[in-house]
Amino acid sequence: MLRLNNSILSCFLLFVATSCLAAEKGYSKADPEALKHWQDMRFGMFIHWGPVSLTGHEIGWSRGRQTPIDKYDQLYKQFNPTEFNADQWVRIAAEAGMKYIVITSKHHDGFSLWPSQYTDYNIANTPFKRDVLRELAQACEKYNVMFCTYYSVCDWYHPDYPLGSPAGKSKKTKHNMPRYFEYIKNQTKELIDNYGPLGLMWLDGEWEKPWTREYGNELYAFLKQVQPTLVINNRVSKGRRGMAGITKQPHLNAGDFDTPEQEIGGFNRDRPWETNMTICQQWAWKPNDKMKSLKECIQILLHTVGGDGNMLFNVGPMPNGQIEPRQVERLKEMGDWLKKYGNTVYGTRGGPFKPGKWGASTCKDNKIHLFIMNWPKEGPLQLPALSMKITDVAVKTGGTLKVNRTKEMIELNVPKDNRDPIATVIELTVDGKAFEIQPVKRN
Ligand code: H79
């Protein structure tokens, strides 16, 4: 009996010890200040670009599919985006209200958008020759935009990486994953040394078999050592579930934030997250790609920040180096909206009313911002009562506001003509810190 108890006890102690060890190893230990700084930004620009843009096909899965591998790998010899202007790109981002940019330094196709000393398959060997990342990093400094890099840990081009095309359809006979891992460390360090300090290192391609949790956690620790303030997404390691992008066992898998892809993340204040989404359908440029309306763009942004997430909104510049004028126009419209209502987005937290079909909310200090996007067919919008006293109510998008408060409900109504087709913005003032209110859900 005693012996049994002992073995149960030692099992338990072993469990506690390994859990502590995992915690001590520092998985997901982001620098709190750097993490908050990035979260407060709420809105960033994702940029997918490279020689693949010449074909109009997708950067993430056209090598060995739409374009035969040997042809794909020669594209860089024609990559000459003479109209590229880093200043213009960063100004477009800044005027859209975006506070950071994340550019594909290297995607799954293995091409390096900077003159890396570790491979010849890079921008210096294109007819263009210029260091795109250097120019962008400098422009970011000028416009006070945080410069960040995307980097794919899968690399179908590199001879040491075992796989050669999407879904492992082609494989390499001579591969050397440990040596390829050194290549990753060298390149990511080179990015930090040359263009850092970086805001984020946005890794991707981690779902492929050759990438292991061990590699991921080691890369995380390595990068934090090179730049302690670096914020790293969850795709550095394993454990991400589907396109919803949530890491299943964050105590085992490194990463500072979750990454829902092409969908809006669910309300979550416990773990930072960032939705990544395209302005059109494709990540890389595609001619005549279907573009989202302004209403969709703003509503996606508001549902995201309302769930306490960031939004990384993607453009795929054209092979000549320009961002499509219609996309620039759309981004400018988003910026115009944010010029008016940016205080309801930047530096806020999601809630306390959880997002739903009706709309979303954010809060900061003693203010709650409601974004009403769908009114009931008849009568006022009813929201559940809060655990804090509301001292003032105002409609920011114009018109009159009728408020009725009961014990269970806050009823709000704005005349139909005064409702904003994108979002009617209402500000509630409470007599305390709005973030401390227990989040509530409208049924
Ligand atoms: O860079 C953009 C895309 O090119 C890249 N990620 C964004 C940010 C990307 N590459 N492939 N994919 C996205 C789609 C891959 C989907 C899947 Fe899966 C990989 C389906 C199954 C394995 C995602 C990861 C869902 C489950 C695991």
Side-chain angles (χ1 to χ4, degrees):
M1 182 65 178
L2 191 67
R3 189 169 289 181
L4 183 69
N5 269 347
N6 261 344
S7 62
I8 290 172
L9 186 70
S10 41
C11 269
F12 177 71
L13 284 178
L14 189 70
F15 172 75
V16 171
T18 44
S19 312
C20 287
L21 200 67
E24 231 175 58
K25 271 190 183 160
Y27 301 154
S28 317
K29 277 233 182 92
D31 177 89
E33 222 173 278
L35 191 67
K36 183 174 186 309
H37 183 60
W38 164 69
Q39 279 192 293
D40 281 349
M41 292 180 172
R42 294 274 99 156
F43 189 31
M45 177 186 268
F46 215 172
I47 305 173
H48 278 66
W49 198 47
V52 68
S53 308
L54 288 162
T55 67
H57 295 307
E58 189 55 288
I59 192 167
W61 46 85
S62 64
R63 184 181 191 265
R65 278 194 187 165
Q66 284 93 340
T67 312
I69 290 175
D70 51 344
K71 229 174 156 185
Y72 192 106
D73 294 347
Q74 298 302 313
L75 288 170
Y76 76 106
K77 293 185 177 161
Q78 297 161 42
F79 190 53
N80 195 12
T82 50
E83 303 302 306
F84 170 71
N85 181 332
D87 205 272
Q88 223 167 53
W89 282 17
V90 178
R91 203 168 58 230
I92 289 165
E95 281 175 3
M98 293 157 153
K99 307 293 185 191
Y100 57 107
I101 68 167
V102 183
I103 174 122
T104 49
S105 69
K106 186 197 84 169
H107 208 277
H108 314 333
D109 67 10
F111 179 79
S112 297
L113 212 44
W114 80 103
S116 174
Q117 61 169 298
Y118 301 102
T119 179
D120 288 334
Y121 191 43
N122 77 46
I123 192 82
N125 296 313
T126 65
F128 191 55
K129 294 194 177 72
R130 279 156 55 186
D131 185 348
V132 167
L133 296 198
R134 164 92 47 226
E135 293 180 27
L136 281 170
Q138 281 168 353
C140 279
E141 208 157 301
K142 177 171 163 194
Y143 290 100
N144 195 24
V145 168
M146 187 167 80
F147 182 69
C148 311
T149 50
Y150 166 107
Y151 185 92
S152 171
V153 297
C154 81
D155 186 329
W156 300 327
Y157 178 89
H158 198 287
D160 284 337
Y161 184 76
L163 309 177
S165 52
K169 284 268 156 57
S170 75
K171 296 186 170 61
K172 296 158 204 164
T173 41
K174 280 198 242 158
H175 51 79
N176 187 334
M177 196 56 196
R179 195 163 64 193
Y180 173 65
F181 184 64
E182 288 307 308
Y183 175 76
I184 292 186
K185 290 207 299 196
N186 286 332
Q187 278 211 316
T188 49
K189 181 171 185 301
E190 190 181 37
L191 286 172
I192 297 169
D193 288 346
N194 286 5
Y195 315 109
L198 303 172
L200 309 176
M201 184 68 80
W202 213 105
L203 298 143
D204 200 9
E206 91 295 356
W207 62 85
E208 292 214 331
K209 256 235 173 99
W211 195 247
T212 62
R213 175 190 289 167
E214 287 68 33
Y215 281 132
N217 290 352
E218 192 180 328
L219 181 60
Y220 180 93
F222 171 77
L223 292 171
K224 293 275 167 159
Q225 194 197 321
V226 179
Q227 187 196 315
T229 57
L230 188 67
V231 176
I232 302 173
N233 69 341
N234 65 338
R235 300 188 187 190
V236 67
S237 191
K238 297 300 242 197
R240 171 168 66 106
R241 246 186 319 179
M243 300 297 270
I246 296 167
T247 289
K248 224 171 160 182
Q249 295 173 296
H251 59 295
L252 298 177
N253 298 291
D256 301 325
F257 65 93
D258 287 334
T259 51
E261 176 167 332
Q262 297 287 36
E263 59 182 77
I264 301 167
F267 183 88
N268 188 353
R269 282 176 172 180
D270 298 328
R271 183 167 157 90
W273 61 272
E274 179 198 60
T275 276
N276 57 91
M277 201 179 273
T278 51
I279 192 168
C280 293
Q281 307 288 303
Q282 206 172 262
W283 293 100
W285 180 70
K286 178 180 168 182
N288 305 311
D289 203 359
K290 187 168 179 289
M291 186 169 69
K292 293 182 174 69
S293 68
L294 176 64
K295 180 173 171 170
E296 284 175 279
C297 291
I298 299 284
Q299 291 196 342
I300 291 165
L301 175 65
L302 297 179
H303 274 288
T304 302
V305 296
D308 205 27
N310 280 34
M311 175 161 157
L312 188 59
F313 204 37
N314 180 75
V315 297
M318 296 186 286
N320 72 356
Q322 285 177 327
I323 301 174
E324 265 191 37
R326 63 181 179 134
Q327 296 181 16
V328 175
E329 181 59 29
R330 180 67 78 250
L331 293 172
K332 172 83 172 46
E333 291 167 347
M334 292 184 85
D336 290 344
W337 191 95
L338 282 161
K339 269 197 195 108
K340 278 195 214 150
Y341 305 112
N343 69 306
T344 67
V345 171
Y346 306 118
T348 66
R349 302 295 304 264
F353 300 97
K354 294 183 183 178
K357 198 162 179 287
W358 66 275
S361 74
T362 58
C363 63
K364 188 181 181 179
D365 303 327
N366 65 339
K367 303 286 186 203
I368 297 170
H369 317 282
L370 301 176
F371 309 110
I372 304 176
M373 301 178 229
N374 282 300
W375 292 87
K377 273 214 183 80
E378 296 292 331
L381 177 81
Q382 298 180 314
L383 292 172
L386 298 175
S387 58
M388 202 176 274
K389 200 175 149 206
I390 298 171
T391 57
D392 202 9
V393 184
V395 56
K396 299 306 229 182
T397 31
T400 52
L401 171 66
K402 256 170 76 182
V403 189
N404 182 39
R405 265 170 275 178
T406 69
K407 232 178 154 185
E408 289 88 29
M409 298 281 182
I410 315 164
E411 297 185 332
L412 302 157
N413 212 343
V414 171
K416 283 207 168 90
D417 291 349
N418 294 145
R419 294 175 184 174
D420 191 288
I422 292 178
T424 302
V425 182
I426 292 172
E427 182 189 88
L428 310 179
T429 308
V430 292
D431 72 345
K433 281 202 172 126
F435 183 66
E436 285 165 11
I437 299 169
Q438 183 67 27
V440 291
K441 190 174 178 350
R442 180 181 188 269
N443 292 319

